Amino acid sequence: MNQRVGTDSSPLRFAACESASIPLFATFIGARRRAPPARTHRQIGSQLVGRRILAAMGGLDSSSMETDLDRPNIEEYLTTETIREVPKKLHLSDLLDISPTLTEAAGAIVDDSFTRCFKSNSPEPWNWNIYLFPLWCLGVVVRYGILFPASFSWLVSLSNLISCMFCRVGVLALGWIVFFAAFLPVHFLIRGHDKWRRKIERKLVEMMCSVFVASWTGVIKYHGPRPSRRPQQVFVANHTSMIDFIILEQMTAFAVIMQKHPGWVGFIQKTILESVGCIWFNRTESKDREVVATKIREHTQGVDNNPLLIFPEGTCVNNHYTVMFKKGAFELGCAVCPVAIKYNKIFVDAFWNSKKQSFTTHLAQLMTSWAVVCDVWYLEPQYIRPGEIPIEFAERVRDMISVRAGLKKVPWDGYLKYFRPSPKLTERKQQIFAESVLKRLEEK
Amino acid sequence: MGNASSMLTQYDIEEVQEHCNYLFSQQEIVALYNRFCQLDRTAKGFISSDEFLSIPEFSLNPLSQRLLKMVDGLNFKDFVAFLSAFSPQATPQQKVELIFKVYDVDGKGRVTFKDLLEVLRDLTGSFMSEEQREKVLGQVLEEAGYSRESSLYLEDFMKVLSKAGLKMEVEVPVD
């Protein structure tokens, strides 16, 4: 909540976003879209109450709504002028004047902070003049014709395969062959010595991820101490695309929580990732949350398991913003190690807009671009502080990751991509308005 | 200008500007066009209700259903015309006209007690009983010189709301 959202050309819009994070009160205060009371309530309200609002905002399920903590303390959010104001007698104009509500709706139509998080930024065309354009054409030829040969010539003969060694698909294909040649025997034959088998499988998965990264000419800089294998810790990272996992896996074999995917990705999930100890979930199943929570807890307690990697945003975001973190990873009572990932947009936009393209298309797009350049920062492990609730802990870690990777924070739940906001939020607004009307009715 | 092509020509921009009574600058119209294309995911040329409701802030607005009736299926020109009431350059009359249209969503030209009740119901939800709402409305109408049976016309709205000093402005972010 501390980080100002946005240094764009129109700071008022993003300041309005801050007040949009408290839309409950805008109706009552009659806030103009252009002049939000954001600063005033930051002075009055404590951070704690701010977290409660965010909790109320972010919660989609009833359990997080029922607790007392989520009921915001309205006095803390009134501006000083409104507090001193004695409720005036109710007139017809007050009931007819729906302009604050309409303004909020129109403001949301014109620009809203949630949709901004999922906008793929189309690269600006730089090939627009007479000498750059032929260079760009040459680049296309190199990227599509040499780096990514479409022909499956590797199928033909081994000599061709070797000649394609410098080509990306060739590298990838060779990598898969080597991987499966080693993985399958190890997985099925070495039954007795589990510890050895696990170790070899881990190394193979790491190798395969390195092959993937090489196939997109990935230039990845890792900063900070490498993750160590010990129990009672989870890793959390911001999420831009499924390749986040591959990039991190290259360095350390993590166990990860993933949404079940169909197609070839699902096949890989079932066969290979099973060996590193992954946990599956299904967004659309409502009871899934408790099941997954139990599995996570068991995993972190096991000594032999790979360190667990969780993406608390729950969905891919476009690497300019972070959406609210789900508290599941933060209420396990163990250390939380944040990891920040930031892609360099100059080379390729690594955001996987899952509504616009399939993962295969996304991978193909990555393989036909020049390079994937990104920075990975392993940050200091965090522990929950005494008196801190998991949601605040999650926000604190989100702060750290956003600051490190230069991302702006947005107070929305990532799952709003798939589901509608809870009607309880609308009800809260209705309640405030109704109470104000009834109160003013008493005044004579 | 029915379909959402990726480029707006100067003619298009001027046509849209004229249609919205020059309440938006050309840059704002281009910005609104980008927004329109972003919301209209399947490039149909209009934004469906579902796409409006995928904006969380809009979805949790109490008047969202009423507004949806007004904005659903609008092409870009009419979309801009709808939003023009929120331009800082719009006159109070234009703002009151929009408020009137929100109340009179079926376009009969007058606002009845029933319409007032419906809007108040949207705004207060289950936190006021129907009797309380009727009582409140009856009381303020009487005090303003109307009765429950009388219909309000645009002139009445202008008269009542001109004293209110409407603050109904939205800033279009121009990159």
Side-chain angles (χ1 to χ4, degrees):
Chain A
M1 267 312 253
N2 298 325
Q3 191 179 10
R4 249 206 82 143
V5 180
T7 47
D8 291 29
S9 54
S10 42
L12 279 178
R13 290 237 43 87
F14 281 101
C17 156
E18 289 273 279
S19 80
S21 72
I22 332 282
L24 315 163
F25 305 99
T27 325
F28 184 78
I29 299 174
R32 284 171 49 162
R33 192 72 179 168
R34 300 186 88 199
R39 279 188 209 89
T40 328
H41 66 236
R42 231 181 274 141
Q43 288 159 14
I44 294 177
S46 64
Q47 277 202 351
L48 194 65
V49 185
R51 301 292 172 264
R52 290 177 192 159
I53 302 296
L54 292 179
M57 281 288 307
L60 279 177
D61 59 332
S62 47
S63 55
S64 62
M65 287 300 203
E66 246 72 306
T67 60
D68 243 18
L69 288 174
D70 294 325
R71 199 166 302 214
N73 191 356
I74 184 172
E75 265 76 44
E76 303 209 24
Y77 276 85
L78 295 179
T79 55
T80 37
E81 304 93 68
T82 338
I83 289 176
R84 268 190 252 116
E85 224 176 81
V86 177
K88 293 196 294 266
K89 189 160 177 294
L90 201 62
H91 297 288
L92 183 60
S93 55
D94 301 308
L95 287 185
L96 285 187
D97 183 8
I98 47 173
S99 60
T101 316
L102 287 184
T103 314
E104 267 178 36
I109 294 177
V110 165
D111 186 24
D112 77 298
S113 50
F114 184 72
T115 321
R116 274 195 184 230
C117 292
F118 303 101
K119 202 163 86 159
S120 330
N121 295 309
S122 45
E124 282 184 22
W126 55 269
N127 52 4
W128 41 265
N129 64 17
I130 196 156
Y131 51 86
L132 285 179
F133 186 65
L135 280 180
W136 177 78
C137 289
L138 185 65
V140 168
V141 166
V142 172
R143 278 164 37 205
Y144 282 83
I146 301 175
L147 291 180
F148 177 88
S151 59
F152 291 94
S153 58
W154 60 269
L155 272 172
V156 177
S157 75
L158 194 61
S159 60
N160 261 357
L161 183 61
I162 295 171
S163 70
C164 281
M165 279 272 279
F166 302 95
C167 309
R168 291 173 172 189
V169 168
V171 163
L172 199 54
L174 187 63
W176 276 121
I177 292 177
V178 171
F179 175 76
F180 274 115
F183 186 81
L184 291 171
V186 168
H187 189 73
F188 291 111
L189 300 181
I190 309 183
R191 280 280 136 177
H193 317 269
D194 258 1
K195 205 160 174 170
W196 270 107
R197 178 168 70 92
R198 290 255 185 85
K199 199 163 179 187
I200 297 176
E201 283 176 355
R202 250 200 325 265
K203 286 292 163 210
L204 281 177
V205 171
E206 276 179 35
M207 182 220 79
M208 194 56 222
C209 289
S210 310
V211 168
F212 256 109
V213 170
S215 76
W216 323 306
T217 322
V219 178
I220 305 175
K221 279 206 295 259
Y222 296 92
H223 312 263
R226 304 296 176 256
S228 44
R229 295 176 56 77
R230 25 174 214 198
Q232 299 288 20
Q233 65 176 0
V234 284
F235 287 82
V236 298
N238 58 312
H239 202 22
T240 303
S241 163
M242 285 229 278
I243 64 174
D244 290 339
F245 163 66
I246 298 178
I247 286 173
L248 292 178
E249 190 81 359
Q250 183 193 217
M251 180 59 61
T252 331
F254 285 112
V256 76
I257 301 186
M258 281 176 77
Q259 159 83 31
K260 281 201 172 96
H261 278 94
W264 64 272
V265 181
F267 169 72
I268 295 184
Q269 285 182 325
K270 277 195 280 277
T271 52
I272 302 170
L273 295 182
E274 212 55 55
S275 70
V276 279
C278 292
I279 301 176
W280 312 120
F281 72 86
N282 211 334
R283 247 176 232 131
T284 46
E285 275 167 42
S286 50
K287 283 297 158 204
D288 208 45
R289 280 187 70 157
E290 287 97 38
V291 173
V292 172
T294 329
K295 283 192 198 163
I296 295 177
R297 207 175 281 273
E298 278 168 16
H299 190 107
T300 46
Q301 261 133 30
V303 177
D304 244 350
N305 294 327
N306 290 326
L308 187 59
L309 174 64
I310 301 180
F311 295 107
E313 286 173 312
T315 186
C316 291
V317 186
N318 72 357
N319 211 229
H320 283 301
Y321 299 91
T322 48
V323 294
M324 286 189 61
F325 279 9
K326 301 208 173 311
K327 60 181 166 79
F330 300 91
E331 43 186 20
L332 300 167
C334 54
V336 171
C337 312
V339 181
I341 306 175
K342 177 75 176 171
Y343 291 89
N344 190 330
K345 275 253 154 53
I346 298 179
F347 293 94
V348 74
D349 182 3
F351 169 50
W352 175 36
N353 197 338
S354 52
K355 296 221 162 190
K356 276 210 178 139
Q357 49 182 199
S358 70
F359 187 58
T360 323
T361 327
H362 174 66
L363 263 191
Q365 192 197 351
L366 284 178
M367 284 175 65
T368 52
S369 50
W370 289 107
V372 170
V373 179
C374 82
D375 282 290
V376 175
W377 291 274
Y378 295 105
L379 302 173
E380 195 188 318
Q382 299 295 310
Y383 298 86
I384 191 165
R385 295 190 183 143
E388 208 180 25
I389 58 175
I391 297 176
E392 291 166 1
F393 184 30
E395 276 300 293
R396 186 162 60 86
V397 172
R398 180 160 85 112
D399 249 335
M400 282 177 70
I401 293 182
S402 306
V403 165
R404 182 69 270 198
L407 307 170
K408 296 169 201 151
K409 286 168 50 175
V410 166
W412 296 101
D413 183 335
Y415 271 15
L416 288 171
K417 225 169 144 186
Y418 307 97
F419 302 109
R420 295 272 174 264
S422 164
K424 287 206 168 30
L425 298 169
T426 318
E427 280 169 22
R428 192 77 191 95
K429 296 175 103 153
Q430 289 171 329
Q431 185 179 14
I432 293 169
F433 185 70
E435 279 169 7
S436 89
V437 166
L438 289 174
K439 204 167 175 188
R440 291 177 66 171
L441 204 56
E442 307 299 316
E443 298 295 316
K444 282 301 160 214
Chain B
M1 266 229 62
N3 54 332
S5 53
S6 50
M7 293 304 294
L8 265 190
T9 67
Q10 185 62 27
Y11 290 120
D12 294 327
I13 298 178
E14 283 169 8
E15 197 188 324
V16 172
Q17 213 182 13
E18 196 190 358
H19 191 71
C20 73
N21 298 314
Y22 298 93
L23 288 169
F24 284 121
S25 72
Q26 298 202 353
Q27 272 188 314
E28 287 173 326
I29 290 179
V30 173
L32 282 174
Y33 187 67
N34 289 331
R35 176 68 174 172
F36 186 85
C37 291
Q38 189 189 24
L39 291 174
D40 177 17
R41 285 195 211 114
T42 44
K44 314 178 281 304
F46 62 89
I47 308 174
S48 66
S49 293
D50 215 37
E51 285 161 348
F52 273 114
L53 288 175
S54 71
I55 307 171
E57 241 178 278
F58 180 82
S59 184
L60 50 85
N61 193 294
L63 291 176
S64 57
Q65 291 304 318
R66 243 179 147 81
L67 285 170
L68 269 181
K69 286 195 201 126
M70 292 171 72
V71 296
D72 181 27
L74 287 183
N75 65 10
F76 179 60
K77 236 166 63 170
D78 296 325
F79 176 75
V80 174
F82 171 81
L83 288 174
S84 62
F86 297 93
S87 154
Q89 274 85 349
T91 62
Q93 280 91 301
Q94 286 161 324
K95 296 188 199 278
V96 173
E97 259 174 47
L98 183 72
I99 295 183
F100 185 80
K101 272 194 232 145
V102 173
Y103 273 93
D104 178 28
V105 84
D106 41 13
K108 30 189 208 303
R110 56 195 171 82
V111 170
T112 58
F113 188 73
K114 185 162 153 291
D115 293 322
L116 294 171
L117 253 186
E118 273 173 20
V119 173
L120 192 56
R121 197 179 303 135
D122 281 338
L123 287 174
T124 53
S126 53
F127 299 94
M128 267 175 92
S129 70
E130 199 65 12
E131 299 85 50
Q132 278 176 320
R133 284 192 274 260
E134 287 184 11
K135 177 168 159 242
V136 165
L137 275 174
Q139 210 170 318
V140 292
L141 276 173
E142 233 180 81
E143 188 225 348
Y146 300 97
S147 76
R148 286 171 64 142
E149 285 71 37
S150 56
S151 308
L152 294 169
Y153 294 86
L154 185 58
E155 304 83 56
D156 302 302
F157 265 71
M158 299 275 201
K159 200 172 71 177
V160 173
L161 289 173
S162 61
K163 295 180 228 109
L166 292 175
K167 299 184 203 81
M168 211 162 97
E169 283 167 13
V170 164
E171 196 186 312
V172 178
V174 173
D175 304 308

